[in-house]
Amino acid sequence: MNLTGKPFFLITIVLVVFAVLLPLLLWSRLRGPALVRGAGRLLMVLFAQATAVLVVFVAVNNANGLYDSWDDLLGTADHVESALDLGPNGTGGKQISALPKAIQKWEKVKDPSLGSGLRRTELKGAVSGVVGEVYVWLPPQYDDPAYRDQKFPVVEVLAGFPGSSKNWFRTLKFQDRVQPLIESGRVAPFIVVSPRTMLGDADTGYANIPGKVNADSWLTVDVRKMVADNFRVSLAPENWAIAGYSAGAHGAAKLALAHPDRYSAAVSLSGYNDPAAESHSLTAADPRLRTENNVLHILKSAKTPPRVSLLATGEGADGYEPGLALKRAAKPPTKVDVRATKGGHVTPVWSRQLPYAFEWLTQQLRPGLTPPA
């Protein structure tokens, strides 16, 4: 049975009711020596406590999309087939244009909790050695014959840690927040791409770590190429943005500033600069990796200021102050906008930011789509 969704949640509620009724019915009816009766009553109390904790965990998990499956929760999923040293540009010396096209089989997602317009595929990264699902949302204009010869801008979206590739649609309610703005013309008809970011039982730091995982190349090389191979999309950086919340916000800012040849804009919702802000981050565990993957260090150490626009939102030290540090360090053509929020480090706050964030992205990318006459 799936970890997420209503069926398992309803089962946990039934278990809680049963656990409460059990001692009421059996407490005084237990027979045998005092030690046996005491042990039986203790087990009933422990069972009631365990079921109460379980139902709270499932409710929180469903609301925030922390773990998408039992494998993710237990750390038994293996999404890394290889983790070779791919060099500084993350391609292992391969010419991306020379790789075979990654033409995928797509299934339309019928889960009503994920909204409409979503499709899913399983991608085997030819460069990164990562295998994982990728969700793609197509705007209404994509299938409009008036746009059949036009290429669309893309926003790649990243979940936090732990987090599911479904989160932008199930918990942040992307379609509810943004699709009306796309239909009204206030927001560009972005294709939204949500790849798996949880590749093991630790936060990858969205980095390439030889011998462990090539998360950077998975997101910035394999996923981007696959999207361009399957949809009307250009790989030019001016047509690509990347966005994330929490640990995904750190990843979005880091990857955009490190790869201005792949992205021209990024949105960081409650992000951080220092990888050590996430205690389970692989990049925080090593002093060299911690420095190399610090967003502020990437910006300051760039040979030339990256041509990237960044929006950082948050409250105090949770996103806002790290954004101000980047804004102070930025030199043209790097642009950093910072926006204060209230409400804490929670999903509803990030969901409410989506209209502003996608209107901001529309201004930064200025996609050259020509609406029908």
Side-chain angles (χ1 to χ4, degrees):
M1 180 170 290
N2 290 335
L3 176 62
T4 58
K6 289 184 179 179
F8 184 64
F9 183 48
L10 292 175
I11 288 175
T12 62
I13 293 175
V14 171
L15 286 175
V16 168
V17 174
F18 177 73
V20 171
L21 292 176
L22 191 63
L24 292 176
L25 296 173
L26 300 181
W27 193 271
S28 61
R29 298 183 181 183
L30 291 177
R31 298 292 182 261
L35 183 61
V36 173
R37 296 197 305 274
R41 290 165 180 162
L42 178 61
L43 287 174
M44 287 190 288
V45 171
L46 293 175
F47 179 61
Q49 292 178 332
T51 56
V53 170
L54 178 62
V55 75
V56 171
F57 165 77
V58 173
V60 171
N61 187 62
N62 285 353
N64 296 283
L66 302 177
Y67 298 97
D68 197 35
S69 67
W70 290 103
D71 283 338
D72 286 342
L73 175 63
L74 300 175
T76 55
D78 186 7
H79 294 276
V80 180
E81 291 194 342
S82 65
L84 304 175
D85 187 343
L86 298 177
N89 69 350
T91 65
K94 296 179 180 178
Q95 293 292 327
I96 303 305
S97 59
L99 292 173
K101 286 186 177 293
I103 304 301
Q104 297 292 116
K105 292 183 178 179
W106 296 87
E107 58 178 335
K108 290 187 177 181
V109 177
K110 299 179 181 179
D111 185 345
S113 70
L114 297 177
S116 61
L118 199 61
R119 56 195 68 194
R120 179 190 184 277
T121 192
E122 191 80 7
L123 174 65
K124 182 176 181 180
V127 174
S128 67
V130 170
V131 177
E133 75 277 8
V134 180
Y135 287 85
V136 171
W137 180 84
L138 298 177
Q141 293 90 333
Y142 190 85
D143 292 322
D144 186 335
Y147 290 84
R148 64 180 178 273
D149 297 322
Q150 301 194 44
K151 293 190 175 182
F152 284 72
V154 183
V155 181
E156 190 173 0
V157 295
L158 310 179
F161 179 84
S164 165
S165 48
K166 300 175 183 177
N167 281 9
W168 278 77
F169 311 104
R170 173 179 286 160
T171 59
L172 268 66
K173 304 293 183 184
F174 166 80
Q175 290 98 318
D176 291 346
R177 296 285 187 180
V178 180
Q179 185 168 339
L181 301 178
I182 292 177
E183 292 172 347
S184 70
R186 288 176 57 187
V187 167
F190 291 108
I191 292 175
V192 177
V193 178
S194 183
R196 168 173 281 272
T197 57
M198 195 168 174
L199 304 177
D201 58 0
D203 175 22
T204 64
Y206 306 87
N208 281 359
I209 306 174
K212 292 186 177 180
V213 63
N214 285 321
D216 182 322
S217 295
W218 161 246
L219 297 169
T220 71
V221 178
D222 287 327
V223 171
R224 289 179 74 251
K225 180 183 183 301
M226 182 275 291
V227 172
D229 287 343
N230 287 266
F231 301 98
R232 297 196 304 277
V233 168
S234 166
L235 283 175
E238 58 266 26
N239 293 318
W240 280 78
I242 187 167
Y245 63 86
S246 190
H250 165 75
K254 182 180 82 73
L255 294 174
L257 292 174
H259 300 294
D261 60 327
R262 300 170 192 175
Y263 307 95
S264 62
V267 173
S268 170
L269 306 175
S270 298
Y272 49 84
N273 294 331
D274 186 348
E278 170 51 65
S279 60
H280 293 92
S281 173
L282 295 174
T283 55
D286 179 274
R288 179 183 62 82
L289 289 175
R290 179 179 175 182
T291 298
E292 290 178 352
N293 289 277
N294 185 301
V295 181
L296 187 57
H297 171 78
I298 291 171
L299 178 58
K300 288 182 174 180
S301 62
K303 293 182 179 180
T304 58
R307 188 175 295 277
V308 170
S309 297
L310 171 66
L311 171 64
T313 76
E315 184 175 6
D318 184 31
Y320 183 72
E321 292 172 7
L324 289 178
L326 294 171
K327 185 178 180 69
R328 289 191 293 267
K331 299 177 182 178
T334 308
K335 174 187 175 184
V336 179
D337 292 330
V338 185
R339 189 174 195 242
T341 63
K342 292 183 179 180
H345 194 86
V346 292
T347 298
V349 172
W350 302 324
S351 181
R352 289 195 297 269
Q353 295 296 306
L354 295 189
Y356 178 85
F358 276 79
E359 287 181 2
W360 181 89
L361 285 170
T362 299
Q363 294 300 314
Q364 308 313 309
L365 270 65
R366 295 185 177 86
L369 285 166
T370 304

